[in-house]
Amino acid sequence: LPQMRTIATVLLLAIGLQVAAQKQCATAAYTQQILTQTAASQRLAAVEQFIQAQKLKIPFGIKGTNDSKATETVIRIPVVVHVLYHTAAQNISDEQVKSQIAALNRDFRRQNMDTANTPERFKSVAADVAIEFVLATADPKGRATTGIVRRQTSVKSWVMDDKIKSSKWGGADAWDTKSYLNIWVGNISQVLGYSSVPGSDAALDGVVINASVFGTTGTKAPYNMGRTAVHEVGHWLGLKHIWGDAACGDDGVDDTPQQGSFTTGKPTGFRSSCSNAPLGDMYMNYMDFTDDGGMNLFTNGQKERMRTLFKSGGPRNSLLLSKGLNEPWLEEAVLPEPVTVVPDDVVTLPATTFKLFPNPAASEITINVDATWIGKELQLLNINGTVLQKVVLTATSQKVSIARLSTGVYLLQGYNGAARIHQKLVKL
C-alpha cells in the first residue's frame, strides 16, 4: 500500500506538471495533433531533414553561417496581427500591439536590458538572432494597411482548435502565410499561447496569443514583457522547448544543455539536471517556461536553426520575397456607399455635360465634363472595388492613359456635390 501511494503521488505530480505546462504553452500538444496526420507528419519530417542537412553541409560557426553583425543580413518579417474581440474591453489598443512588436525586436536582436542577467557561463553563446518583425504596410492585394486587423466576434473565448484562424467559425482567415507572419490575439482559454511549426498546414500557419499576455502595455506580471509571443515565435521559427519535450530530451540545438524538464517562476542561481554540470540548466532561455522576468537569451545554435529556415529551399524562404513591407501599390476605394458595378452604363449627368470616348478603348480615353468638374477627382476601379487610378480633372476635355490596365471591365466614378459619374469602361 505505501508503494502504491508513492506511485500515485508521482503520477499526480507528473500530471500536475503537465497541466502547468499546458497552461503556458500548448505548442507541443498542438504539434502532436498535427503529427497524427500522415501528410503533415511527412512535411514536418522533411523540414527537420532540411535543417539537419544544412547543419552538416556548413557546420555552425564556419564563416558564412555566423558572420559578424557588420556583414550579417538582418531578416525583416512582415507581421499581421488579427485582433478578435467579443467585448469592447477585449479590443486591445494599437499601442499594445506595437509594444509586442517592439518586444519581439528587443529580444530577437538581444537589445533587452536584462542581458546582464545572463550567467557568465552562457554569455559566450548568447545571440543577436538578426531577425526583426515589422507590421505590414501592404496587404496581400497591395492595399495600404497598419498590419492590425480587428474583428468583433460572437465567440466569447477560444481553445486550441484553430477556429480563431477561420472566419467560418467567427475568427479571421490568415493572410498569405508564405508572405506574412500571422498572429491571432484573443481571449484564449487555459493556455497563454501556441504556434504552428514549419511544415504545418499553410492555411493555419501562425501564432495564437492570449490578449492578457500580449505586449508590454495592458499586461500584468509575471507575463508583462511580451515574452509569451517571443517564445511562440521561436516555435514558429523551428525551435523546440529547451528540454526537448521529454525528460532530458533533445531540442536539436548543440549549445543548449540537456535539461530534465521545464522551469517555472523566476529562479536564480545554479541548477543542474541530466548530469549537465558544469553548465547546468539554461532556464533563462526564451524556450523555457520561466516567467518573463527570468528569460533573457537565445543561443547561437538556436539562431542558426531559425535562420536556416530562410535559406533557399527552406520553409520560411518565401518571406524574403514578401511584398508586405512595400509601399502599397493599390488603393482601396473610400466611398460614401458600396461600389456596385452594374451591367449597363449609368451616368447621373445629362449626356451634354459628361462624355467618355472611345469606349471600349485600348490605350487612351477622353473625358468631357462641364466647368464645375474642374478640380474634382475621378476614380478608376476594378470589379472588386479597388481603386487602380485617380484622375484630377484640370480641363473640360481631358485625355487619360489606360495603357497599363489589363484587358477587362472597369468602373469610372466621381462625385461633384449631388452630381455623380458612374460609368462602365471596357479596356481592350
Side-chain angles (χ1 to χ4, degrees):
L1 183 60
Q3 184 178 10
M4 292 180 66
R5 285 176 178 172
T6 300
I7 293 171
T9 300
V10 171
L11 287 174
L12 286 172
L13 178 61
I15 291 170
L17 289 173
Q18 185 61 33
V19 169
Q22 285 295 97
K23 285 183 178 179
Q24 294 197 50
C25 170
T27 296
Y30 179 78
T31 303
Q32 287 302 313
Q33 289 182 9
I34 293 173
L35 289 172
T36 62
Q37 305 165 23
T38 302
S41 177
Q42 292 173 345
R43 291 196 304 270
L44 267 62
V47 169
E48 190 61 35
Q49 289 172 2
F50 176 84
I51 292 172
Q52 295 306 318
Q54 295 296 318
K55 187 176 179 180
L56 291 171
K57 183 178 179 182
I58 310 178
F60 176 77
I62 301 294
K63 184 173 175 56
T65 67
N66 188 29
D67 293 340
S68 68
K69 292 181 181 178
T71 59
E72 188 170 52
T73 300
V74 175
I75 296 170
R76 301 176 78 234
I77 298 176
V79 179
V80 54
V81 177
H82 306 272
V83 178
L84 284 304
Y85 63 98
H86 178 67
T87 65
Q90 295 174 355
N91 188 16
I92 63 175
S93 67
D94 284 1
E95 289 70 25
Q96 186 168 343
V97 173
K98 291 174 182 177
S99 75
Q100 180 60 74
I101 301 301
L104 286 168
N105 291 325
R106 173 201 67 200
D107 290 345
F108 274 81
R109 294 307 312 272
R110 194 157 172 77
Q111 295 172 350
N112 44 308
M113 295 296 291
D114 52 2
T115 56
N117 296 335
T118 301
E120 197 64 37
R121 63 188 183 277
F122 292 134
K123 284 185 177 179
S124 63
V125 298
D128 169 2
V129 180
I131 295 178
E132 295 180 354
F133 304 85
V134 185
L135 287 170
T137 53
D139 75 4
K141 293 183 179 179
R143 298 170 297 194
T145 179
T146 62
I148 304 171
V149 179
R150 301 178 183 279
R151 182 176 183 184
Q152 189 164 19
T153 176
S154 60
V155 179
K156 295 181 180 179
S157 65
W158 306 91
V159 295
M160 192 191 67
D161 59 5
D162 281 342
K163 288 184 178 179
I164 195 172
K165 303 176 183 178
S166 172
S167 58
K168 175 183 177 182
W169 299 104
D173 297 330
W175 286 10
D176 178 11
T177 56
K178 293 185 180 300
S179 297
Y180 302 86
L181 162 57
N182 286 260
I183 300 178
W184 289 269
V185 182
N187 182 27
I188 318 297
S189 296
Q190 300 180 332
V191 299
L192 300 184
Y194 68 94
S195 175
S196 63
V197 296
S200 301
D201 183 348
L204 303 174
D205 187 32
V207 172
V208 177
I209 304 290
N210 197 314
S212 65
V213 298
F214 192 72
T216 61
T217 299
T219 52
K220 297 180 180 179
Y223 305 114
N224 61 336
M225 297 177 69
R227 285 173 169 165
T228 298
V230 172
H231 177 102
E232 297 304 341
V233 171
H235 284 310
W236 182 79
L237 288 172
L239 297 187
K240 300 178 182 179
H241 289 134
I242 197 80
W243 66 97
D245 293 311
C248 300
D250 182 11
D251 67 349
V253 178
D254 294 338
D255 60 6
T256 56
Q258 267 194 320
Q259 186 168 304
S261 185
F262 58 87
T263 311
T264 58
K266 189 179 177 181
T268 58
F270 182 84
R271 289 189 175 193
S272 179
S273 59
C274 306
S275 303
N276 61 13
L279 292 175
D281 293 352
M282 192 185 279
Y283 56 77
M284 67 295 303
N285 192 284
Y286 292 124
M287 299 313 294
D288 205 337
F289 282 174
T290 317
D291 291 350
D292 280 13
M295 298 176 164
N296 55 60
L297 85 151
F298 286 119
T299 70
N300 285 318
Q302 289 174 317
K303 168 184 177 176
E304 188 70 6
R305 185 176 175 90
M306 288 188 276
R307 290 180 65 90
T308 291
L309 302 177
F310 294 88
K311 293 183 178 180
S312 179
R316 301 296 184 206
N317 177 259
S318 62
L319 286 159
L320 301 180
L321 304 176
S322 174
K323 296 181 180 179
L325 299 181
N326 289 5
E327 287 290 327
W329 56 97
L330 292 179
E331 284 194 59
E332 189 171 24
V334 180
L335 303 169
E337 58 183 345
V339 175
T340 303
V341 178
V342 292
D344 298 316
D345 296 349
V346 176
V347 183
T348 56
L349 292 174
T352 54
T353 61
F354 171 80
K355 189 174 182 180
L356 182 154
F357 62 92
N359 190 10
S363 60
E364 186 179 75
I365 58 174
T366 298
I367 299 172
N368 285 353
V369 292
D370 63 39
T372 65
W373 279 84
I374 294 177
K376 298 297 188 291
E377 180 182 90
L378 299 183
Q379 297 176 339
L380 193 61
L381 305 91
N382 64 16
I383 59 174
N384 295 318
T386 301
V387 176
L388 304 181
Q389 194 170 337
K390 292 181 179 180
V391 179
V392 176
L393 295 170
T394 59
T396 56
S397 181
Q398 188 162 327
K399 295 184 183 298
V400 177
S401 173
I402 59 169
R404 292 186 178 182
L405 297 179
S406 302
T407 300
V409 178
Y410 299 87
L411 178 71
L412 185 69
Q413 182 162 286
Y415 299 89
N416 179 12
R420 177 187 183 197
I421 294 173
H422 188 88
Q423 180 162 331
K424 181 174 70 177
L425 168 65
V426 178
K427 168 68 166 63
L428 298 175

